[in-house]
Amino acid sequence: MEANPMFMALIPPSYEPPLLAPTPDEVIEGHVVALTASYRAGLTRPLAARKAQLRQLRALLSDGLATLEHAMWLDLHKHPTEMYATEVASCLREIQDHLDHLKSWTSPMRVGTNFANFPASSHIVQEPRGVCGIMSTWNYPIYVTLMPLIGCISAGNVALVRLPTEGTCDHVSGALAYLMDKYLDPAVVRYVAGGIDATKALLRHPYDLLFCTGGATIGKVVARAAAETLTPTVLELGGKSPAIVHSDTSLEMTARRLVWGAFLNAGQTGIRPDYVFAHESIGPALVEAMRQAIVDAYGASPADSQSYGRLVNAAQFDRIERIFETDRAFLVHGGIGDRAQRYFAPTLLNFEGDYTAFAASACMQAEIFGPLLPIVYYHDVDEPLLHIATHATPMAVYIFTGSSAVKQFVITHSRSGSMCVNDVMVQVTNHKLPFGGMGASGMGAYHGRFSFAAFSHAKAVMHMSFLWDFRQRYAPYTPFARKLLGAVLHPVPRVWLWVFRVVVVLAIVGIVLGLTLR
């Protein structure tokens, strides 16, 4: 694929994206040993050291932007604006969030202490986990590589990063490796390149946390490896996220937002709307509006659009083509592909009211992860909710409606990692919200403070005093000790504590007023 002339002026004429050879097993072992030594030496404990590495990450993204744009165009035909909006900007915002709040997040949090331990004090201390393995993937390679790394560094850990698998976004992996070598301290961050052999070699070593972004297959591989050493994991796995379009929606805006989410990055997005349930009363109109929205976004020939992406490799093209050919009878838009260019057009498949054919279709057997969007009509909102409930829990559920009652009903009666009302995917851009799956779509969450928490251990600390010792807790036990322990340890309803505080405050006010009026 030729380089995009729009930004080639930013790339030195002699520039060649560095491609990587698989990392040998002995080098991976050396990385783990070196990172372990760095962590044990306390290099990442000081907040100043963490912030310095976060600023280096920011410099990596800012100074290396043209390098990354060029590599991304070669691998995924991703427009620079799309890359910045969906990958770089989020990372930059995340870095700033951690720089702004790191001091408060790392400060001990005081909590209450039970009466039996009076006069003790209690705190929660955020402790780094240690050596973390971060396993990236290829669909948003900058985002899914650096976003967890930000939280990892912020929390005071060291990281071994598995770059996206070879044979996918090789130019971006090479660019990331080049920039990481240039900007990041190898005592804190190192990387591994390669395919399944490199992944197996990486997983043979012990870690204090494994963070993996990918599909269910790699998620299970990581979970099995982690189980051998009881290593905690965060798994971001995707899944089939549904969109429900109710009868009272804004058709034009709904169609535009669905098309944007479904075909961004050529459909290779883990939280894309993977299928659509449209109310039967507006189904045909919605499909027509979506057809027009595709033309508005990518033109009559998306192959000629610089804003439309490409499938990552020939294997991905072949998989999408097989799914499409099986369901070709339901084609209403698109369906054109070019294997040599890894191009497959934005494609709509309308099953209308035939739920049986929809459920049995090739599109509905697994996450599509490509530019195919099946649509089926429903009569009552219970129908899509039943479908969601009887299948693997999705990463997200999307509902388009103007009705507060319908919105609340869907929120209450559906399970998912996240939810967005009247739009798709934008919930991931709010770093005040946790991002993560549930069940088959993953475990754990990150972004913002949730990233810091994911890569930290909340250590309970209680400070006891020598001024008082509750002797009845010691042997030998007596009837009096039993009664006293029963009274002290008896659970107290929260409302009693509230009433007690009010009485104490009123008593103090009464005493003060009494002394004042004398």
Side-chain angles (χ1 to χ4, degrees):
M1 190 171 295
E2 294 182 358
N4 185 347
M6 289 190 297
F7 54 84
M8 270 307 293
L10 300 175
I11 308 295
S14 60
Y15 173 80
E16 283 294 333
L19 301 181
L20 302 174
T23 307
D25 291 8
E26 62 272 15
V27 174
I28 295 174
E29 182 177 3
H31 287 339
V32 174
V33 170
L35 290 169
T36 302
S38 295
Y39 179 72
R40 290 176 178 171
L43 299 184
T44 58
R45 288 278 181 170
L47 297 193
R50 305 182 197 184
K51 289 185 175 183
Q53 285 303 298
L54 290 174
R55 292 188 181 101
Q56 285 299 103
L57 265 177
R58 182 166 60 189
L60 179 158
L61 286 167
S62 300
D63 298 349
L65 185 62
T67 300
L68 292 168
E69 286 176 343
H70 180 54
M72 193 73 77
W73 182 265
L74 292 172
D75 287 337
L76 291 168
H77 198 266
K78 189 176 290 189
H79 193 281
T81 300
E82 182 177 315
M83 187 196 85
Y84 186 83
T86 61
E87 303 204 52
V88 176
S90 292
C91 291
L92 290 174
R93 186 172 62 252
E94 180 87 349
I95 291 169
Q96 190 61 53
D97 198 26
H98 284 253
L99 288 172
D100 289 343
H101 297 100
L102 186 55
K103 184 176 180 179
S104 64
W105 292 346
T106 54
S107 298
M109 182 176 70
R110 186 162 187 166
V111 295
T113 303
N114 58 326
F115 181 69
N117 288 308
F118 177 85
S121 63
S122 301
H123 299 80
I124 298 173
V125 175
Q126 298 298 334
E127 187 174 68
R129 289 188 177 272
V131 181
C132 300
I134 298 175
M135 307 185 69
S136 178
T137 192
W138 52 263
N139 59 330
Y140 289 85
I142 300 170
Y143 181 95
V144 298
T145 301
L146 300 187
M147 186 67 81
L149 182 59
I150 295 164
C152 179
I153 292 172
S154 174
N157 303 287
V158 296
L160 182 59
V161 178
R162 202 291 310 269
L163 295 171
T165 305
E166 66 178 344
T168 56
C169 54
D170 293 341
H171 296 93
V172 177
S173 292
L176 283 170
Y178 165 75
L179 294 168
M180 290 167 77
D181 285 339
K182 185 175 181 180
Y183 288 91
L184 300 183
D185 185 351
V188 179
V189 180
R190 299 195 178 200
Y191 59 83
V192 169
I196 189 168
D197 290 337
T199 299
K200 289 179 178 178
L202 183 149
L203 290 173
R204 280 196 288 268
H205 299 282
Y207 300 91
D208 298 294
L209 177 76
L210 283 169
F211 187 111
C212 174
T213 305
T217 300
I218 187 63
K220 291 176 182 178
V221 170
V222 171
R224 289 192 195 100
E228 292 298 319
T229 53
L230 298 180
T231 300
T233 59
V234 177
L235 304 177
E236 303 294 343
L237 305 181
K240 292 188 72 64
S241 298
I244 302 170
V245 183
H246 204 53
S247 57
D248 56 356
T249 192
S250 168
L251 273 180
E252 183 179 347
M253 195 173 297
T254 296
R256 184 164 61 244
R257 291 177 176 180
L258 284 172
V259 164
W260 171 77
F263 302 116
L264 187 74
N265 197 31
Q268 298 164 121
T269 305
I271 57 168
R272 78 185 284 260
D274 214 49
Y275 59 97
V276 177
F277 272 97
H279 193 271
E280 60 188 7
S281 65
I282 50 95
L286 176 67
V287 171
E288 188 57 39
M290 291 175 70
R291 293 178 65 185
Q292 185 58 50
I294 292 172
V295 174
D296 293 342
Y298 305 116
S301 175
D304 300 324
S305 172
Q306 291 190 330
S307 298
Y308 186 65
R310 296 294 183 269
L311 300 174
V312 71
N313 54 28
Q316 175 78 336
F317 178 90
D318 292 343
R319 185 183 64 82
I320 292 298
E321 188 175 52
R322 285 194 299 271
I323 295 172
F324 168 69
E325 290 298 337
T326 304
D327 295 341
R328 176 186 279 274
F330 302 95
L331 174 68
V332 292
H333 189 87
I336 299 171
D338 182 341
R339 191 176 190 274
Q341 295 296 316
R342 295 179 279 121
Y343 165 79
F344 206 96
T347 299
L348 302 178
L349 300 161
N350 190 3
F351 292 82
E352 299 184 353
D354 192 347
Y355 174 79
T356 301
F358 168 79
S361 68
C363 278
M364 294 304 296
Q365 302 314 302
E367 183 178 8
I368 296 171
F369 220 68
L372 309 177
L373 186 61
I375 303 159
V376 68
Y377 303 161
Y378 71 91
H379 176 73
D380 187 272
V381 75
D382 285 329
E383 297 167 25
L385 291 178
L386 177 61
H387 178 91
I388 296 168
T390 53
H391 290 78
T393 304
M395 181 71 87
V397 168
Y398 304 112
I399 171 66
F400 289 84
T401 180
S403 166
S404 296
V406 172
K407 174 191 71 174
Q408 195 56 49
F409 187 79
V410 173
I411 292 173
T412 304
H413 292 85
S414 62
R415 282 165 50 96
S416 60
S418 66
M419 190 163 200
C420 189
V421 179
N422 294 333
D423 210 333
V424 296
M425 306 200 308
V426 293
Q427 74 274 15
V428 75
T429 66
N430 181 1
H431 291 195
K432 304 299 181 185
L433 293 172
F435 174 66
M438 182 179 182
S441 57
M443 62 179 72
Y446 72 127
H447 285 183
R449 184 163 191 166
F450 302 98
S451 287
F452 179 85
F455 285 95
S456 300
H457 169 65
K459 183 164 68 176
V461 179
M462 182 180 286
H463 301 267
M464 297 295 287
S465 171
F466 286 121
L467 297 176
W468 169 260
D469 198 17
F470 191 56
R471 291 180 177 273
Q472 283 68 31
R473 68 174 172 158
Y474 303 119
Y477 301 114
T478 66
F480 173 73
R482 172 66 182 86
K483 290 179 181 180
L484 188 58
L485 283 169
V488 170
L489 298 177
H490 186 77
V492 178
R494 186 178 181 186
V495 67
W496 290 14
L497 296 174
W498 182 82
V499 170
F500 176 74
R501 292 191 186 103
V502 171
V503 170
V504 170
V505 170
L506 291 176
I508 293 172
V509 171
I511 292 171
V512 172
L513 288 176
L515 293 174
T516 304
L517 296 174
R518 271 187 165 184

